[in-house]
Amino acid sequence: MKKAIVTGHTRGLGAAVAAELQARGIAVLGLARGRSPLAGIEQIELDMADPAALQAWLAGDALRDFLQDAGNALLVNNAGVVTPVGPLAAQDPAEVLRAVALNVGAPLALAAAFVRAAPKAQRRILHVSSGAARNAYPGWAVYCATKAALDQHARAVLLDGDVGVRACSLAPGVIDTDMQAAIRATPDADFPMRERFVALKEGGALDSPEACARKLVDYLLAPGFGSEPVDDLRN
């Protein structure tokens, strides 16, 4: 039996991935601050940017109980934020700490708990990364750094050599989500490359969440998943 955990499953790419997994007969557990209208999935309301709340949930039995009969277990670390945006002088330190907790602390902690919760399953971990992990952008110091951390995490997991654990930090491309809308609404002074993202939208170059989710789930379930620890869905 295949079972999947998807973070940030209530909106955007996460919602589309949860729906795509469910459509393929895979049981889904969604973790997010709110709830999804998608019927038939298990959901936990959890603020993963709150380390104490996440630690308390992971200390319980919910994750182990969900995965106990899984022969193949999947973790999609999708939840994340692009904020704070702007040069260092404009960044609120509290926002920086929240971004690091959500973009790095939560996926790394979940990955460790996930592997321990299903020791007999074949386990696959997919971090939703970004081109920003591999190319620096002005105004995106925090986003670039946190996504780069996921890339390095996947590389190190491969070097661990556990044949029952595969991981990949995958950039999905530019998707038409609320995050993209927020990027386009950012003042040029905070994000000098804003016009590039406006042009992508106006030129019809953004992938829909549903189309991206189909490709992402194909990638996640493919026999060679994890052979490349860092990859781009557009390759």
Side-chain angles (χ1 to χ4, degrees):
M1 176 182 289
K2 290 187 176 74
K3 289 193 168 183
I5 295 134
V6 181
T7 68
H9 70 291
T10 58
R11 296 189 302 166
L13 180 60
V17 168
E20 182 67 23
L21 288 164
Q22 187 189 47
R24 301 194 193 197
I26 298 171
V28 175
L29 171 64
L31 305 178
R33 284 184 297 171
R35 294 187 68 81
S36 165
L38 186 64
I41 68 169
E42 294 189 39
Q43 302 189 63
I44 300 291
E45 292 184 57
L46 177 65
D47 183 358
M48 287 172 294
D50 180 344
L54 178 58
Q55 184 176 356
W57 185 76
L58 292 175
D61 296 327
L63 189 60
R64 187 181 306 107
D65 290 346
F66 177 73
L67 294 172
Q68 64 179 345
D69 55 351
N72 293 276
L74 314 169
L75 171 62
V76 180
N77 278 316
N78 163 75
V81 290
V82 71
T83 52
V85 177
L88 285 177
Q91 294 175 15
D92 179 347
E95 280 195 38
V96 175
L97 288 170
R98 184 172 179 82
V100 173
L102 180 59
N103 291 5
V104 183
L108 268 56
L110 272 170
F114 167 78
V115 167
R116 291 161 63 96
K120 297 180 180 179
Q122 289 295 312
R123 290 144 293 171
R124 296 186 175 195
I125 301 162
L126 190 152
H127 297 317
V128 176
S129 184
S130 168
R134 300 141 208 184
N135 299 283
Y137 292 91
W140 273 9
V142 174
Y143 188 63
C144 291
T146 54
K147 289 300 184 180
L150 299 182
D151 286 6
Q152 285 294 79
H153 182 261
R155 290 186 178 107
V157 169
L158 178 64
L159 295 177
D160 286 340
D162 186 337
V163 296
V165 177
R166 301 184 188 184
C168 178
S169 190
L170 183 69
V174 187
I175 311 161
D176 199 2
T177 62
D178 290 346
M179 181 181 285
Q180 281 296 311
I183 290 167
R184 294 192 299 273
T186 303
D188 290 334
D190 289 337
F191 187 51
M193 296 186 70
R194 184 187 72 87
E195 281 301 323
R196 174 187 171 187
F197 290 86
V198 171
L200 289 172
K201 173 68 172 177
E202 293 178 347
L206 301 184
D207 220 357
S208 72
E210 293 76 18
C212 182
R214 286 191 294 271
K215 291 181 284 188
L216 184 148
V217 173
D218 282 344
Y219 188 99
L220 175 60
L221 299 178
F225 177 85
S227 57
E228 291 290 340
V230 174
D231 208 351
D232 191 306
L233 199 54
R234 293 164 289 191
N235 290 341

